[in-house]
Amino acid sequence: MKRVNLNFVVDGAAMFLLLLLLSTGLLITFRLPPGSGGHLPFGRGLGALDRPIDVVGGLTRHDWGEIHLWIACAFLALLVFHLALHWKWIVAMFKNLASSCSKLQFLVVLVVVAISLALVTYPWLAPLQQTSQREQQELQQVSANNTP
């Protein structure tokens, strides 16, 4: 397959996956918001099992969340492939940037890239924290006060 055609297919697939991500994200946020029901252990608060469970297409919020996650993983893999296809161009642009701008401007670009990478990796490197029993009780009280 010619490189131009491969780029077209990869970019079209990426756009399609991005639209699917948007669609499932909006579905989860607006049609199946938190509290729209769920099976054990996902139901929260007093009377969680007594509330009806909202479904769209036979799938609950958590099922759609799983689909959303796998679409995001496929999009990320396609994005990595896209970057690999354009790697020579990316390197050439950085070389051009390094030669055509001042050292301070190039340093600013590198700092922005480093901060972006740090923000992306922070959730994976941050230690997990457990809620205390008092915090769990407070969350249950808030949940109980918000149930109709």
Side-chain angles (χ1 to χ4, degrees):
M1 180 181 275
K2 290 184 179 178
R3 188 161 182 116
V4 173
N5 294 340
L6 181 61
N7 281 334
F8 181 76
V9 169
V10 168
D11 292 349
M15 185 181 86
F16 177 72
L17 288 174
L18 192 58
L19 289 173
L20 284 177
L21 268 178
L22 175 67
S23 176
T24 56
L26 290 173
L27 176 71
I28 292 167
T29 302
F30 296 111
R31 294 272 327 266
L32 298 169
S36 60
H39 301 290
L40 280 176
F42 301 112
R44 299 282 192 247
L46 296 174
L49 296 177
D50 298 330
R51 292 193 301 258
I53 298 169
D54 294 339
V55 294
V56 173
L59 302 173
T60 66
R61 171 184 171 78
H62 299 284
D63 298 330
W64 281 108
E66 285 285 321
I67 292 170
H68 186 74
L69 171 70
W70 287 109
I71 293 170
C73 290
F75 179 73
L76 182 62
L78 205 56
L79 181 63
V80 168
F81 185 64
H82 175 85
L83 290 175
L85 282 175
H86 294 82
W87 191 249
K88 287 181 183 178
W89 179 84
I90 293 169
V91 170
M93 289 303 291
F94 265 97
K95 284 182 181 178
N96 185 27
L97 179 69
S99 65
S100 68
C101 66
S102 70
K103 289 182 181 181
L104 178 63
Q105 290 172 324
F106 189 70
L107 182 65
V108 168
V109 169
L110 287 180
V111 168
V112 168
V113 168
I115 289 172
S116 299
L117 287 174
L119 289 173
V120 167
T121 58
Y122 173 76
W124 299 101
L125 301 176
L128 289 176
Q129 297 174 341
Q130 301 292 323
T131 57
S132 67
Q133 272 190 330
R134 182 182 56 79
E135 290 172 323
Q136 289 176 4
Q137 289 171 351
E138 289 175 3
L139 288 171
Q140 287 176 348
Q141 287 175 351
V142 168
S143 178
N145 291 338
N146 290 335
T147 56

